[in-house]
Amino acid sequence: MASGFDIVIVGAGIVGAACAAELAREGMRVAVVDRDIIGGGATAAGMGHIVVMDDSEAQFALTRYSRRLWRDLHSGLPPQAEYETPGTIWVAADESEMQEVRRKHEYYASRGVAAEILDSKMLAEAEPNLRPGLAGGLLVPDDAVVYPPVVARFLLERERGVSVIAGSAVRAITNDGVALEDGTRISAAKIVNAAGDASPNLTAGVRVAPRKGHLVITDRYPGFVRHQLVELGYLKSAHTHSAESVAFNVQPRRTGQILIGSSRQYGVTNADVDPAIVSAMLSRALQYMPGIGTLSAIRCWTGFRASTPDKLPLIGPAPGTDHVYLATGHEGLGITTSLATAKLLASQITGREPEIAVTPYLPARVMDGEKHA
Amino acid sequence: MSDSANTVVVIGGGPAGIAAAACVAENGASTVLIDDNPRLGGQIWRSGGKIPQAKEAGHWLNRFMRSGAKLQCGTRIVDRLGTKSLLAESDRGIQRVDYSQLILATGARERLLPFPGWTIPNVVAAGGLQALVKGGAPIAGKRVAIAGSGPLLLAVATYLRLQGAVIVLIAEQAPWSRLVRFSAKLKSSPHKLWQAILMGVHLRGVRFKSSCWPIAARGESVLEQVEFQSKQGRFSVACDYLACGFGLIPNLELPRLIGCEVHNGFVAVDEWQQTSIDDVYCAGEPTGIGGIDSALCAGQIAGFATVGRKEKARGLFPARTRGKKFEETLAFTFALRPELRQLCQPETVVCRCEDVTYERLQPMTSWREAKLQTRCGMGACQGRTCGAVAEFLWHWQLASARPPVFPARVESLAGKTLTLEK
Amino acid sequence: MPNLIQVTINGQAVTVPGGITVAAAVLLSGKSGIHRSPSGALRGPVCGMGVCFECRVTVNGRAHVRSCLTTCEAGMEISADE
């Protein structure tokens, strides 16, 4: 039995790592357990886009707060974290989407987030490889991109007081810690379930469903794309409960490679790359950037987002327990909101005042108060 | 593809694929052979250069041409579309390749191992230099050192010498005792023995050392000299090219993508060369590194099996058994010595595509961790070079295959045909 | 006598035998390096069969073409890293 820990965190992805670093900074002794390698789940599979989103006030508050925390952190990150600030351009295809651009601009500007409306000409200058005839877009210059697996490892190694046990699956959360598949136990007064799409396996009543996504990465084409480009229809795709959807979403990486997304599917649990989904996703990208067609794609892969019914993560105590906390359900915003999640979780554990209200993210809002076995 | 209901598709235009397709077509079935190279022959029967084709190659190529099998060169399979459907790409566009039965003859590539200076221009693979010369690269008068392991080294030396290269050294890492035993075994195969004698004639006077391997390549902007380790100690050789390859590794990417089971690093096949997937066969190096004879034999067995000529296939079983024994002999003779794991300096590049050095990889505990933390294997070759290195240096198991099998145009994966340019 | 064709390599006209690979044409033009690694190291072709990706050049405006697998055609515009 491993002991001497104040907290054990299940999941060494970006969320678990951020929580571990934050709690260790508060003076706690933290154990982090993962069934695989650090940052090997959705953390490795996603785009690493750090973005302010305005789906709801609660989402906006969380993403704005967290993006600021990334800005504060970035100069301390190693170069392999590839932190860049290309900004996001939300692309409007037509006049009705331009109305949405104006609404978003007003929303962001009135809340102190820099944003600039681009008309058709300005958009073409900003991104020459977009097809002509698009209506314009909203530039959010302070949005960033990062390479998350390196950051997860950095966060876990940075603080003394964090021990990582990788390659060991947790069988169950117990009254006084966790029991691993291999029979060993780690004892701690508090447990954090940061297991992403696997979190329902460990805590009853967690309504987190896996939402499969595909990505394609190209060879190096420096300068082909300058900003993260997202079609406004992305929001429809992210919000829909329909079985599958694709949306145009491309990202320039520091290497000059271009990451092309995005897709969402409910109810699919095998991780195989589906050529039909890839085809639909890339066809959508071709509609916005025809020139992307002749670029060399070197790999496709998939990952599973942890999605919740109301698109907001679960950050706080698991109802019906007094020692289990949840930090999961981040859907497509896990990288962005990982740092804020850590702060909000730590504030609840230490009793300190959080910087933003935690109420919208409390698990109790979508869970019954089920007692633990 | 028309009439896919009955088409046997063969992937790979080396000896195994050629033999398979010929057998299928000679028995009246519709077959098409798809290969990535501009011309048929794969690696070992690559055309080009001033030397005419080996008689055996010529015989099989003629047989293929006369058989009625269709050929598509310059075409690579990039993804699978469904149960019996593949996506192929060429410079002209894409096509859906449907098959009733599939024969995978994707061959092998050379194992490259890192040592200081291995990334200097003119340090090339052994078969790689031969391929480049067959493609028209000048070699007459150039000083070439050949190193690494396997019978390929002698074949390459023979070819290059006949093209006018000056072979300054052949360095085989295997010990002399194993090479002698290997030569003795060749007596049981007159064909192989004859090949060996021919090579001996062509290579008369060439300096040959066993238990010898390169430890450093040096040069300002191109290769100038190579330092070797041998039983007698270290020595350096001035040369224009180092042609260096440490054996062959099977091309498993497409078999894995299709879902074929792999045992001990090779595609698992039954007595008919059928894989774990129904109607998918595999022949040649992906099932075991055995050279031309094994490949021809297995290719024919697979071809006969797909057209139901089991008795003809069975007739080749004894030859295949001999081929399997030869595979074991090859593996034993040319097993890579442990010293080859000690060649890297901390700053020696291991992943060439992403410039990841030995010291950054050494602390990693798995291939996946190495990939995620250092980008090793995430470049254009997708681990084809560095993955084999990592397997050898640290015994890491490589992760499953993801599409595309080879880089493909975005529009190809989108299901669109080529955009005509310029 | 093989037919000769003209291609351009980094803007310079080069006459080569028809049917050779682009990699061979670059080597014939006197270059040994053909492609720069991410850290800027110059690399030459290695595997000769399209699996190492060190021989990549730009052909007629298309980047990342494996020159060892590509046959020269008259008028081809080839850009190799220098």
Side-chain angles (χ1 to χ4, degrees):
Chain A
M1 164 108 100
S3 60
F5 297 108
D6 301 306
I7 303 217
V8 59
I9 299 177
V10 183
I14 192 76
V15 171
C19 290
E22 188 64 31
L23 293 165
R25 205 182 340 214
E26 296 278 1
M28 295 184 207
R29 294 158 302 174
V30 182
V32 183
V33 192
D34 197 291
R35 63 187 170 187
D36 195 3
I37 54 177
I38 293 169
T43 297
M47 278 182 128
H49 186 199
I50 297 167
V51 56
V52 174
M53 295 256 289
D54 68 331
D55 178 39
S56 62
E57 284 291 350
Q59 187 188 72
F60 184 84
L62 192 65
T63 54
R64 176 180 57 180
Y65 174 36
S66 207
R67 192 184 73 172
R68 200 202 82 213
L69 293 171
W70 276 104
R71 197 193 62 210
D72 294 343
L73 173 70
H74 89 273
S75 55
L77 292 174
Q80 290 82 21
E82 296 179 3
Y83 182 94
E84 303 280 343
T85 318
T88 303
I89 297 179
W90 295 91
V91 179
D94 55 32
E95 182 50 39
S96 87
E97 290 190 352
M98 272 313 276
Q99 282 179 17
E100 172 62 13
V101 162
R102 288 181 207 110
R103 185 206 64 76
K104 257 172 109 73
H105 177 255
E106 169 58 35
Y107 187 99
Y108 282 38
S110 66
R111 287 164 181 73
V113 172
E116 182 190 340
I117 296 179
L118 306 176
D119 64 23
S120 185
K121 184 160 171 289
M122 295 159 77
L123 178 67
E125 273 164 17
E127 289 288 352
N129 284 311
L130 281 171
R131 74 161 168 84
L134 294 166
L138 184 74
L139 167 64
V140 184
D142 298 327
D143 281 350
V145 310
V146 78
Y147 179 58
V150 167
V151 180
R153 191 188 180 102
F154 167 79
L155 290 170
L156 289 169
E157 291 180 348
R158 179 163 83 151
E159 306 289 336
R160 282 177 39 206
V162 175
S163 303
V164 180
I165 301 113
S168 285
V170 171
R171 185 175 52 76
I173 294 176
T174 65
N175 283 331
D176 60 353
V178 296
L180 304 185
E181 290 281 0
D182 66 6
T184 59
R185 290 168 167 268
I186 305 174
S187 77
K190 293 182 165 44
I191 301 99
V192 178
N193 182 347
D197 66 316
S199 55
N201 303 340
L202 296 171
T203 303
V206 168
R207 290 165 64 200
V208 159
R211 203 152 184 218
K212 187 177 181 186
H214 285 67
L215 283 173
V216 173
I217 196 162
T218 69
D219 208 329
R220 295 171 186 242
Y221 297 91
F224 186 86
V225 178
R226 292 112 185 240
H227 310 78
Q228 176 119 11
L229 302 176
V230 192
E231 62 159 305
L232 279 162
Y234 175 87
L235 301 165
K236 292 194 216 90
S237 172
H239 301 167
T240 188
H241 287 280
S242 76
E244 58 187 50
S245 61
V246 298
F248 169 65
N249 190 343
V250 304
Q251 176 188 95
R253 299 215 54 86
R254 179 189 287 176
T255 59
Q257 291 172 283
I258 296 153
L259 202 43
I260 309 173
S262 62
S263 80
R264 284 174 157 76
Q265 290 169 280
Y266 274 123
V268 180
T269 47
N270 81 74
D272 293 347
V273 173
D274 184 338
I277 298 284
V278 169
S279 172
M281 190 174 80
L282 295 180
S283 297
R284 187 85 186 149
L286 283 171
Q287 285 176 8
Y288 281 83
M289 291 194 114
I292 217 168
T294 55
L295 303 192
S296 177
I298 64 175
R299 191 173 182 88
C300 310
W301 67 90
T302 65
F304 291 92
R305 307 172 184 84
S307 72
T308 59
D310 62 0
K311 313 297 174 200
L312 293 172
L314 310 174
I315 310 172
T321 81
D322 56 1
H323 66 305
V324 180
Y325 292 79
L326 294 166
T328 182
H330 292 81
E331 223 271 351
L333 289 171
I335 310 307
T336 301
T337 62
S338 54
L339 301 183
T341 297
K343 293 279 189 194
L344 296 182
L345 181 76
S347 71
Q348 294 179 67
I349 289 177
T350 61
R352 273 202 251 287
E353 190 66 28
E355 200 165 321
I356 65 172
V358 302
T359 322
Y361 323 108
L362 292 175
R365 75 188 194 272
V366 286
M367 287 173 70
D368 312 317
E370 292 191 26
K371 288 256 176 246
H372 254 284
Chain B
M1 297 245 80
S2 60
D3 197 22
S4 67
N6 293 312
T7 301
V8 178
V9 172
V10 179
I11 310 293
I18 289 170
C23 286
V24 172
E26 284 165 0
N27 283 280
S30 161
T31 184
V32 61
L33 189 154
I34 296 177
D35 188 77
D36 196 359
N37 288 275
R39 283 192 284 270
L40 200 56
Q43 305 315 315
I44 200 99
W45 285 347
R46 181 178 288 272
S47 60
K50 300 193 207 73
I51 301 167
Q53 280 287 9
K55 263 182 45 189
E56 184 177 51
H59 159 80
W60 274 102
L61 285 165
N62 280 333
R63 211 171 138 179
F64 174 87
M65 297 302 176
R66 287 194 317 264
S67 70
K70 295 193 265 306
L71 173 65
Q72 255 191 269
C73 282
T75 303
R76 53 211 155 265
I77 303 297
V78 294
D79 199 358
R80 87 189 261 258
L81 292 176
T83 313
K84 285 192 168 189
S85 186
L86 303 170
L87 178 67
E89 184 195 64
S90 71
D91 290 345
R92 292 176 304 282
I94 57 166
Q95 64 190 109
R96 187 190 160 104
V97 175
D98 296 319
Y99 58 86
S100 61
Q101 296 173 96
L102 182 68
I103 302 179
L104 298 169
T106 50
R109 59 185 184 274
E110 286 178 89
R111 178 189 284 107
L112 307 177
L113 294 180
F115 50 87
W118 74 302
T119 55
I120 299 176
N122 292 355
V123 176
V124 297
L129 184 56
Q130 178 169 316
L132 290 167
V133 171
K134 284 191 175 180
I139 203 72
K142 303 269 205 276
R143 300 161 302 168
V144 181
I146 299 177
S149 200
L152 181 62
L153 302 191
L154 295 181
V156 167
T158 305
Y159 174 80
L160 294 177
R161 203 182 198 205
L162 288 168
Q163 298 282 345
V166 176
I167 310 295
V168 297
L169 173 68
I170 303 174
E172 164 62 64
Q173 59 89 37
W176 184 247
S177 55
R178 290 203 185 182
L179 297 175
V180 166
R181 278 222 292 276
F182 179 71
S183 309
K185 288 220 167 97
L186 290 181
K187 285 207 285 276
S188 64
S189 163
H191 176 222
K192 289 187 171 58
L193 185 60
W194 179 238
Q195 286 176 332
I197 291 170
L198 270 180
M199 270 187 212
V201 165
H202 288 306
L203 293 175
R204 218 168 27 182
V206 171
R207 186 180 178 197
F208 178 93
K209 288 186 81 66
S210 59
S211 293
C212 182
W213 58 91
I215 55 172
R218 298 194 175 94
E220 258 307 306
S221 54
V222 295
L223 182 67
E224 289 163 24
Q225 63 163 242
V226 179
E227 188 180 4
F228 288 87
Q229 176 76 57
S230 75
K231 290 224 282 273
Q232 292 81 35
R234 296 180 172 186
F235 64 96
S236 286
V237 168
C239 54
D240 302 305
Y241 283 94
L242 173 64
C244 182
F246 292 90
L248 298 178
I249 44 184
N251 291 324
L252 300 177
E253 291 75 21
L254 180 57
R256 277 198 208 268
L257 186 70
I258 289 174
C260 301
E261 272 173 32
V262 170
H263 294 161
N264 296 327
F266 294 102
V267 179
V269 291
D270 66 11
E271 55 185 347
W272 312 110
Q273 302 291 141
Q274 184 165 223
T275 69
S276 59
I277 307 285
D278 282 343
D279 297 321
V280 176
Y281 295 76
C282 189
E285 310 294 71
T287 62
I289 304 297
I292 298 173
D293 294 345
S294 279
L296 287 171
C297 186
Q300 290 174 80
I301 291 172
F304 287 134
T306 59
V307 293
R309 299 296 305 273
K310 294 226 158 130
E311 77 292 346
K312 292 220 74 169
R314 217 175 262 119
L316 288 158
F317 283 11
R320 182 174 60 191
T321 306
R322 289 194 296 275
K324 282 285 166 200
K325 290 206 87 58
F326 185 63
E327 281 174 29
E328 288 164 25
T329 305
L330 278 176
F332 175 75
T333 305
F334 299 103
L336 297 178
R337 58 204 308 150
E339 291 94 323
L340 298 172
R341 294 190 175 89
Q342 311 300 330
L343 302 180
C344 288
Q345 297 292 318
E347 67 278 1
T348 305
V349 166
V350 171
C351 167
R352 300 177 67 119
C353 296
E354 297 293 322
D355 277 341
V356 186
T357 56
Y358 181 82
E359 65 186 336
R360 292 197 55 221
L361 289 169
Q362 178 64 348
M364 299 293 136
T365 59
S366 69
W367 173 246
R368 200 146 174 266
E369 186 186 13
K371 274 181 62 173
L372 290 188
Q373 294 298 322
T374 71
R375 298 188 53 84
C376 175
M378 285 175 131
C381 93
Q382 289 292 296
R384 278 183 171 83
T385 304
C386 59
V389 173
E391 273 184 319
F392 180 69
L393 292 183
W394 298 296
H395 308 287
W396 291 342
Q397 292 300 307
L398 267 46
S400 61
R402 288 265 184 244
V405 178
F406 277 101
R409 292 183 297 276
V410 166
E411 67 196 357
S412 298
L413 299 179
K416 307 280 187 274
T417 52
L418 184 69
T419 314
L420 290 163
E421 301 170 319
K422 295 204 176 208
Chain C
M1 177 74 178
N3 67 309
L4 297 173
I5 60 172
Q6 189 163 290
V7 299
T8 52
I9 298 177
N10 292 356
Q12 284 219 299
V14 177
T15 305
V16 299
I20 68 167
T21 62
V22 172
V26 174
L27 293 171
L28 270 171
S29 77
K31 296 183 196 306
S32 293
I34 207 168
H35 169 73
R36 283 204 184 265
S37 77
S39 67
L42 199 55
R43 302 275 171 80
V46 177
C47 76
M49 57 179 282
V51 296
C52 76
F53 290 83
E54 293 280 52
C55 70
R56 283 175 289 160
V57 295
T58 300
V59 172
N60 294 342
R62 175 161 308 168
H64 302 299
V65 173
R66 284 170 284 170
S67 59
C68 70
L69 290 180
T70 311
T71 308
C72 283
E73 286 165 19
M76 219 176 219
E77 285 170 22
I78 299 158
S79 301
D81 288 343
E82 290 192 294

